[in-house]
Amino acid sequence: MEQFVTLAEIDATAQAVRAKITTQPKIGLILGSGLGPLADTVENPDIVSYDDIPNWPVSTVIGHSGRLVVGKLEGQDVLVMQGRTHYYEGYSIDQVTLPIRVMQRMGIEMLVVTNAAGAVNPNFEPGDLMLITDHLNLLGMAGVNPLRGPNLDEFGPRFPDMSRAYDADLIELARKSAKNAGINLHEGVYVGLAGPSFETPADLRFLRAMGVDAVGMSTVPEVTVARHGNLRVMGVSGISNKANLDGSTITTHEEVLEAGQVMVPKLVSLLRGVLQTLA
Ligand code: HPA
């Protein structure tokens, strides 16, 4: 049998994080490519470098700094992951999602996931935000599911329900927050692929035909583990590049990071509004 992340490793990691922070966070927040500056708005932060946490996967990607920023945002105790790892970096999929397990053992109850994503819906423009209402787990369908291996019964059942992956109440709060802040918030289905190569025009037409609105290389494994352990989940994609369904443009990591700068202020107001109404 292959080796999988164990409860003992998860608990050792959770213990190490607890020892370095002074608050008891209730909300986890994962920041995607180019969205890291959002962490700068956390008040009185305890900052923990991923290098200093045992077992924690460290990102190798430009645009992902690797640290936890733990403190208050709109009166809520939050743990912000400034940077995440992806399957394509070479980690096993349960290593990629170890931070979610650690959050669960630390008593975190809600997870906000963000990502940079490519538009598959032709109506989306770079710089737009999309509230994730559901996802397509293509990686999981191909066998790369973070719940593969012995079930960790402490978190949830062998065959977890995924019919309501994205919390209906949080979706409603996000809609209201966007409205109040005057932000145009799209809604749609996110597909998680392995990457790291971007999609061909044929890939994109296939995904569009399957009902996909935005495509990225993260989030879905994290949400799968989050739901297994019963976290309430809200997800937002920052659209960083247009759907290239006809092959007329190219996609680069630089444009992904550039679009991040446009999206950060919008994402900050959206999240602040949601956190305020949770209080
Ligand atoms: N495809 C996949 N992942 C991405 C993209 C994309 O076009 N943009 C940002 N992340």
Side-chain angles (χ1 to χ4, degrees):
M1 182 113 109
E2 279 170 46
Q3 290 296 301
F4 296 94
V5 172
T6 63
L7 186 63
E9 286 165 333
I10 294 164
D11 280 342
T13 306
Q15 197 47 47
V17 174
R18 266 197 216 99
K20 291 176 199 290
I21 63 176
T22 51
T23 56
Q24 166 70 266
K26 287 288 167 207
I27 300 174
L29 188 53
I30 305 182
L31 302 181
S33 296
L35 304 175
L38 204 155
D40 301 338
T41 60
V42 173
E43 296 149 36
N44 300 323
D46 292 317
I47 293 177
V48 189
S49 168
Y50 293 171
D51 296 320
D52 295 334
I53 312 173
N55 306 318
W56 200 277
V58 177
S59 178
T60 59
V61 188
I62 294 170
H64 285 264
S65 50
R67 53 188 211 160
L68 291 179
V69 181
V70 186
K72 285 223 187 268
L73 204 54
E74 294 299 328
Q76 306 281 347
D77 287 303
V78 297
L79 177 148
V80 181
M81 281 176 61
Q82 199 175 26
R84 60 147 67 84
T85 51
H86 311 76
Y87 185 58
Y88 63 74
E89 293 177 65
Y91 291 100
S92 64
I93 198 68
D94 59 337
Q95 283 177 305
V96 168
T97 52
L98 172 107
I100 312 295
R101 289 308 194 199
V102 171
M103 288 181 197
Q104 286 163 336
R105 292 301 264 185
M106 288 175 64
I108 284 177
E109 295 161 355
M110 175 181 151
L111 176 68
V112 179
V113 271
T114 69
N115 55 57
V120 181
N121 186 321
N123 298 324
F124 295 178
E125 296 290 338
D128 287 353
L129 297 183
M130 184 191 89
L131 185 63
I132 305 176
T133 53
D134 203 350
H135 71 220
L136 182 62
N137 187 1
L138 270 190
L139 259 182
M141 290 181 198
V144 184
N145 190 306
L147 304 179
R148 180 168 174 270
N151 186 54
L152 297 176
D153 298 326
E154 292 77 6
F155 295 98
R158 172 77 289 186
F159 301 107
D161 178 61
M162 286 295 287
S163 62
R164 275 160 289 195
Y166 298 85
D167 187 273
D169 293 333
L170 294 177
I171 287 176
E172 199 47 49
L173 289 184
R175 284 177 185 145
K176 286 202 181 113
S177 170
K179 195 155 181 245
N180 287 340
I183 294 165
N184 176 24
L185 184 63
H186 299 296
E187 295 185 12
V189 173
Y190 173 91
V191 66
L193 306 185
S197 45
F198 289 117
E199 300 69 41
T200 64
D203 288 329
L204 290 165
R205 290 191 299 269
F206 164 81
L207 294 172
R208 186 67 191 142
M210 294 300 113
V212 166
D213 295 290
V215 57
M217 305 173 191
S218 67
T219 302
V220 171
E222 296 156 354
V223 172
T224 304
V225 169
R227 292 304 299 143
H228 181 249
N230 214 26
L231 296 183
R232 295 173 71 197
V233 175
M234 176 182 145
V236 185
S237 288
I239 301 299
S240 53
N241 47 282
K242 265 197 90 96
N244 180 23
L245 297 154
D246 63 1
S248 62
T249 59
I250 63 160
T251 303
T252 66
H253 188 54
E254 286 67 36
E255 85 183 295
V256 172
L257 295 182
E258 262 171 46
Q261 294 173 6
V262 182
M263 294 181 293
V264 165
K266 290 200 266 186
L267 199 54
V268 169
S269 352
L270 177 71
L271 290 179
R272 279 189 182 275
V274 170
L275 293 178
Q276 271 166 22
T277 42
L278 282 173

